[in-house]
Structure formats: C-alpha cells, structure tokens
Amino acid sequence: MASNSESWGSRIGIVLAMAGNAVGFGNFLRFPIQAMENGGGVFIIPYIVCFLLLGIPLTFVEWTIGRFGGQFGKHSTPYIMEQTGKRRGWRYVGVLGIFSTLAIASYYCYIESWTLTYVYHSIIGSFQGMSQSETASFFSDYQNTGNSHSGIPYENVIAFILCLALNIWILSRGLKGGIEKVAKFGVPLLIIFGIFLAIRGIMIQPGEYGAIAKGVEGLDFLWTPQVSSLLDPKVWLAAAGQIFFTLSLGMGCIQCYASYMKHDEDIALGALSTSFVNEFVEIVLGGTIIISISVGFFGLEHVLSMISNEGGFGIAFQTMPFLFNKWGAVMGILCGVAFFGLLFIAGITSSLAMCTPAQALLRDEFGWSRTKSAIAIGITILLWGLPTVIFYKQGVFSEYDYWAGTVSLFVFAMLEAILFSWVNGIDNSWKEFNHAADIKIPKIYKYILKYITPTLLIIIFIAALIKPNNDDWSQLSLKGWEVDANSIIGKFQGKDAGPNHKWIADTLYADLNGYFSETIIDGSGKHIRITALNEIGNEYGFAKSYPLKDDDTLLLHEGDPVEIGDPIMTGRFVNDTFYQAFARLYMILLLLIIFVIVFFTSQKRDKLKKVNP
C-alpha cells in the first residue's frame, strides 16, 4: 500500500481544525431553532445532559478509534473500524462514515455557496430598501435555476461550483498546508464575527431602529430551564439530535483527523478542548445572534410563529438581511458580511473535514496524490450535489439531509460506541484513550462509555424508528400504534408526503396556509407565490412559489386565501415525491459504489496478507 505521509503541523492546528469541523451551520441555524421550537428553557436541561452523556463520550470514542487506527497506517473509516474491531465485517460498517460525509458534503457545499453569495450581495447593497417580503422572495427566487440577482446566468449553480472548487483546491494542499491554515485563520475570525453580532443583538432596545422588544428577552426565554422537560421524549430526541449535529459525530471526520496524530500525542485534552470550543460558539454565540435580533424586532410570539414555518434557513436568509438594514446602510453591510461571513467559515471548515475520509481511502488504497484524490472527490460531490441545487424546491436537499445527515450518522455512531466499549473491551479502549493524556478524565466516564452511552443511543434510535403520531407517547400499546410521519418508519412509508403524494398527478394542492399573493415572470418562467400567514393572520414574509406552465389551469385569483390541501391548479404535474424517491435511490447508488470500492480494496489487502503474512 502507498504511504500516506500527511501530518498536522502543531497541536493548536489539530485543535482548531477539529473545532472547525464541529462548528458548522448547526451551531448558528439549527441550535437556536431547535431550542425555540422545543420551548426554550425546556430544551436546555436535556441538551446539557445529552452533551455530558452522549456528546463528550462519543467524542472520546472517535478520537481514540482514529488515533489507534492511524498507528497502523489506517486513515479511512472502513479500515480504522476494521483495525479496532479485529474483524473484517467492521470495514463495511465504516463504509457509512464515507457515505455520510460525501452525501452531506454534496448539499453542505450548496449552503456554503448561499453564504458566499449573500456576503457579496450584502457588500453591494442588494438588500437595502427591501421589505421583509421582498427579502424572503430574494431567497426563494435564488433557488430557481436560471434566475440571477447578479446578472450572472445560473447564479446558484455557478456559486455552487465555485464554492466546491475552493474546497477542492484547499483539500489538494493537504492537512498542514491547506486545512490547518484555513482553521488557524478562520476559527478565530468566526468567533470575532460572532461576538460582534451577539453584542449588537443583546443591545437592542425597544423604539430604536423600529425594535419592539429588548434583545435579551429572547435569551430569557432560552435560559429559563423547566424541569418538566425531563418527562418529554420529544425534547430528548431533539436534544440528542442537536448534539450529533453540533459535534459532527458519526461522520468519520474526527476519526480521520485523529488518525494523523502520533500515538504519543494527547487526545483527552484535545477532545475536551474542541467540544467546549464548539459549545461556546453554539450556546453563547449561536444561541444569541438570531434569537436576540429577531425577538428584538418582531417580539417573541411572532418569532415562534416564523420558526414553525421558516426554520433556520428561512430566518437566516429570508429575514436577517432585512433586519440588519434596520440599523442603516453601513451597519447593515457590516452585519451582513459578519453574519454570512461567519456562516461561510463555519461551513467550509466542516465541509473540508467531510472530504478527508474519502480522500484518505483513495490515497491509502490507490496511492493517489492529494490533487488527484481531491479532484475525484470534487467530481463526486458535483455529481451528487447538482440534484440538490437544481431540485432544491422539490425536496431533494431534505432527503439527503434526513437519510445521510441524520439516520446514517446516528447508526454509525451507535455501532462505533458498541465497538469501543463491548467489542474491543472497555478496559482496552479506556487504556488507549488515556495513553499520553495530559489531563486525567474522571473514571466515571469509563462506566458511562460502557453502559449509559450505548444504552441511550439504542433507546433514542428505537424511539426515532417507532415515534408515535404527533409525538403522543401515550399511544404506545401492545396492539400497535400509528407512527409519526417524521419517524424512520413513517418516512419509509411516505407518510410525510403531504397532499401531493402521487409521483405524477393532474391536480396540484397547496402545502401551506396563506394566500395567493402574486404571479411572477422571471428567467426561469412563470410562477405563482403563496405567502404564509402567522397565527393571527398577518403576513410575515415566508413564501413558496409554484411553477405555472402555459397549459396549466390556475384555480385561484390574487388575494384568495389558501389552506393546506386546497387545489391550486390543474394540468400535468411531476410532484416532489418523485424527486424525493430519486434522491433516495441516488444515495443508495452512492452507498453501493463506496461498498464496492471497499470490497475490492479489501480483496487486494487480503491477497497481500497471504503473500506477506
């Protein structure tokens, strides 16, 4: 096998690179939304408990497995897992680590391109003078391939390709010359941007620049714990899911990074350092910026209503540029550059990490150079990423995110926890973890790793698999129960499809409550726009557009109210369910390709062992 001579340049380099891997969009877009959706303070106790019992232990597991595999020249998750488990079957569990990272990177790079585009539009003042509805429409129109706000044809496709090219160029520079340099510059800059925005948010006072509440009111809601949360399975599932997102667990990135460490380098302090850097960024900065600014200008109830429809992406891209400009043109530009700039840094330091397990596989098994392997990964991400760009509004993006960004990584993390504590033996694994440690980890974590963490992971997985409808756990019965549309079984059954559940249909139905606000003709054709309403019937900007072909018959007039399930138009429609089914099959194809590559490289390894035992 070819020698992979990569290495880190310094301890601070590996810590910042690991922190950059963990700090991502989830810190700024997912955490505040999860917290608000799950009752603010109701969410905090389960979140902290899950961090202590799941997050930190799994971080220990992944650093340990990675460094251990690296001693034997194994840098990709299939062979790191095989080396740890001492059985060939574990190499195929490791396939999930490469599959998840490539599939996630395929849509993650697209989100990065949004942030880069929004930095550009913030600088040139594109959002100045826009109403909230116009700002929301800007994001919606950006997703229409063929549209352009900059005069560049196919702006979203070009931005995605440029962003991917930047990732691949940095990746081709290697650990020390590429990823580590980006982390040393990017992570401190991200924190500076975050502190600036957080301070700006909590300083909001009613009556200033149109604000109606204090910025700190949102933080009061977030930081007022309620013991009742301990009895709500829904909140526990949300908290556990957020911990996985925020620490980049179950992806294979941490193992790959750690595999390039020397055996006598400390991992205990490194694991704790990166975990707490991430938590500082998430809780202190991520939990402050969006919540304080949006609550200050809209009020708590209005923001809760927005979150239920828009989510993190909607708030960030459809609302924040509008709010920044309330502070004036200059401050609007500064805040826009800082906010979308920090998101870009958070994104690219994570996507670079996602590419490394696959690059390690190509370099270790085929002897490819950094540049050749980086280009191969770029082509793969381009092929699997373009559907998320072109068919973003049809739900391809969401399908990738659910199956690769949630289910796959959770299953992988659950299996590696079992490998660490039970297959390899907790005594052996604990000894390996503490080797060359600069600090002494409390021994209680040895028992948490053996009993509590694997048990919680299994329970959470089963709960996600069979979650009852509307999270009503009182439905559980020996006679059976109706599973929720967002449970794993419910997703398999297609229960989340909504009113447009057929692949091809002759009637299109509304899938949100609102009203028919306007008809738009742009570079991608004609569209009608349904603008959502909040709970008291006031427009707040979230909108969804539907393409209208020449041979379609529109059943609405502008201003007509619309409810979920109402017919919008007749004609011939390829519904989102078709594209979502395609996305699932396309991801299965990627998984099979990786499986086949690992199978054949394994055959090659096994033959070499027979020749050179």
Side-chain angles (χ1 to χ4, degrees):
M1 298 299 164
S3 174
N4 187 339
S5 58
E6 291 279 10
S7 63
W8 296 103
S10 63
R11 174 179 288 194
I12 188 65
I14 176 65
V15 169
L16 288 176
M18 284 284 197
N21 164 47
V23 173
F25 296 128
N27 297 73
F28 299 98
L29 304 183
R30 197 174 189 274
F31 171 74
I33 303 307
Q34 286 288 306
M36 297 290 277
E37 283 184 329
N38 289 282
V42 175
F43 183 76
I44 293 301
I45 294 177
Y47 176 84
I48 293 174
V49 171
C50 285
F51 173 67
L52 295 174
L53 299 183
L54 289 178
I56 289 180
L58 282 172
T59 303
F60 291 166
V61 167
E62 297 196 348
W63 279 70
T64 305
I65 290 176
R67 188 186 64 175
F68 179 76
Q71 297 175 61
F72 304 92
K74 312 295 173 61
H75 305 291
S76 62
T77 49
Y79 295 108
I80 289 174
M81 296 288 283
E82 180 186 38
Q83 186 65 47
T84 305
K86 308 299 182 185
R87 294 289 186 276
R88 295 176 182 177
W90 284 103
R91 67 178 63 148
Y92 299 108
V93 173
V95 166
L96 290 176
I98 294 180
F99 163 72
S100 294
T101 49
L102 286 178
I104 294 170
S106 296
Y107 65 83
Y108 214 83
C109 284
Y110 185 37
I111 309 174
E112 280 175 40
S113 70
W114 300 352
T115 64
L116 206 54
T117 299
Y118 269 58
V119 168
Y120 167 74
H121 284 291
S122 295
I123 292 172
I124 67 173
S126 297
F127 304 113
Q128 292 179 18
M130 283 189 180
S131 66
Q132 186 187 0
S133 180
E134 289 170 335
T135 306
S137 298
F138 184 98
F139 179 73
S140 180
D141 294 340
Y142 179 80
Q143 305 305 331
N144 293 328
T145 302
N147 253 8
S148 175
H149 293 296
S150 62
I152 301 173
Y154 300 99
E155 181 179 10
N156 62 340
V157 177
I158 298 299
F160 168 66
I161 293 173
L162 289 175
C163 196
L164 176 58
L166 179 60
N167 274 267
I168 298 312
W169 178 76
I170 296 171
L171 197 65
S172 70
R173 308 288 293 177
L175 292 180
K176 188 188 302 184
I179 294 172
E180 187 172 338
K181 282 187 176 180
V182 170
K184 284 182 175 179
F185 171 77
V187 173
L189 183 61
L190 178 151
I191 292 173
I192 292 170
F193 281 165
I195 291 173
F196 164 70
L197 290 166
I199 293 173
R200 197 74 187 89
I202 61 178
M203 288 177 62
I204 293 175
Q205 296 294 323
E208 295 182 357
Y209 304 103
I212 64 172
K214 293 181 179 180
V216 294
E217 286 187 17
L219 302 185
D220 291 340
F221 175 76
L222 179 63
W223 290 107
T224 305
Q226 299 179 30
V227 179
S228 62
S229 62
L230 300 177
L231 304 177
D232 190 344
K234 174 188 174 184
V235 179
W236 281 96
L237 285 172
Q242 180 58 29
I243 290 299
F244 270 80
F245 271 87
T246 191
L247 293 175
S248 296
L249 299 170
M251 293 185 182
C253 306
I254 294 175
Q255 296 96 314
C256 185
Y257 274 9
S259 72
Y260 292 102
M261 299 178 66
K262 297 181 177 67
H263 190 235
D264 59 356
E265 287 186 279
D266 165 69
I267 57 174
L269 181 59
L272 281 179
S273 300
T274 55
S275 296
F276 282 102
V277 167
N278 178 78
E279 289 307 299
F280 167 77
V281 172
E282 175 154 296
I283 295 175
V284 178
L285 303 182
T288 300
I289 296 169
I290 284 182
I291 292 177
S292 63
I293 296 175
S294 59
V295 168
F297 284 108
F298 289 129
L300 180 60
E301 294 302 319
H302 194 162
V303 171
L304 291 173
S305 180
M306 292 168 67
I307 285 172
S308 66
N309 285 282
E310 295 186 43
F313 291 153
I315 295 280
F317 294 96
Q318 296 188 338
T319 302
M320 295 303 285
F322 166 72
L323 297 182
F324 291 150
N325 282 302
K326 284 181 172 289
W327 284 318
V330 175
M331 186 58 68
I333 291 173
L334 289 175
C335 290
V337 170
F339 181 67
F340 295 110
L342 75 83
L343 288 180
F344 174 72
I345 295 169
I348 197 167
T349 51
S350 296
S351 61
L352 287 170
M354 293 174 198
C355 295
T356 53
Q359 187 180 37
L361 179 68
L362 296 176
R363 298 202 66 204
D364 287 351
E365 306 307 316
F366 298 100
W368 287 7
S369 66
R370 289 196 300 250
T371 300
K372 185 178 180 180
S373 58
I375 291 173
I377 291 167
I379 293 172
T380 303
I381 293 175
L382 179 65
L383 291 175
W384 265 264
L386 278 176
T388 71
V389 181
I390 299 170
F391 304 117
Y392 172 80
K393 291 188 174 183
Q394 284 74 31
V396 171
F397 184 105
S398 298
E399 285 296 313
Y400 276 46
D401 187 42
Y402 182 78
W403 295 109
T406 303
V407 176
S408 177
L409 63 86
F410 196 94
V411 170
F412 182 50
M414 180 173 62
L415 293 174
E416 69 178 356
I418 294 171
L419 169 64
F420 180 92
S421 298
W422 291 93
V423 177
N424 193 47
I426 190 62
D427 290 332
N428 294 331
S429 296
W430 186 253
K431 181 180 179 181
E432 174 64 26
F433 169 65
N434 283 286
H435 175 75
D438 291 334
I439 60 172
K440 187 174 181 62
I441 302 296
K443 198 170 183 180
I444 189 173
Y445 264 103
K446 179 179 179 180
Y447 302 102
I448 290 174
L449 281 161
K450 184 173 184 179
Y451 298 109
I452 296 178
T453 301
T455 301
L456 284 177
L457 288 169
I458 293 170
I459 291 172
I460 292 169
F461 177 72
I462 293 173
L465 186 73
I466 62 172
K467 184 171 68 168
N469 192 38
N470 296 322
D471 284 309
D472 182 5
W473 292 87
S474 64
Q475 292 184 37
L476 298 187
S477 167
L478 293 176
K479 297 179 180 180
W481 59 90
E482 182 182 359
V483 295
D484 191 79
N486 290 316
S487 66
I488 296 175
I489 292 177
K491 293 281 285 187
F492 268 122
Q493 295 175 341
K495 295 185 67 174
D496 61 330
N500 297 301
H501 58 276
K502 295 181 179 179
W503 283 13
I504 300 175
D506 55 13
T507 303
L508 185 69
Y509 301 95
D511 50 12
L512 79 163
N513 296 320
Y515 72 99
F516 174 20
S517 57
E518 59 182 328
T519 301
I520 300 169
I521 300 176
D522 55 30
S524 59
K526 184 184 291 186
H527 307 266
I528 67 166
R529 176 162 289 147
I530 306 297
T531 299
L533 305 176
N534 63 19
E535 295 176 352
I536 58 175
N538 296 324
E539 177 183 341
Y540 63 80
F542 177 72
K544 183 171 182 178
S545 60
Y546 302 84
L548 177 65
K549 302 186 295 294
D550 292 337
D551 54 352
D552 292 338
T553 302
L554 186 60
L555 304 178
L556 301 172
H557 297 92
E558 288 193 13
D560 284 354
V562 177
E563 294 184 358
I564 294 175
D566 286 352
I568 297 175
M569 62 183 85
T570 58
R572 197 66 173 166
F573 307 100
V574 180
N575 283 322
D576 293 354
T577 50
F578 170 82
Y579 298 99
Q580 291 160 6
F582 161 77
R584 289 192 289 272
L585 292 174
Y586 203 37
M587 282 191 290
I588 291 173
L589 176 61
L590 177 62
L591 180 63
L592 289 175
I593 290 172
I594 299 169
F595 185 93
V596 169
I597 290 173
V598 171
F599 175 78
F600 282 110
T601 57
S602 298
Q603 296 297 305
K604 183 179 178 181
R605 277 180 176 269
D606 293 342
K607 287 180 181 178
L608 286 174
K609 284 181 181 179
K610 289 179 181 179
V611 174
N612 302 301

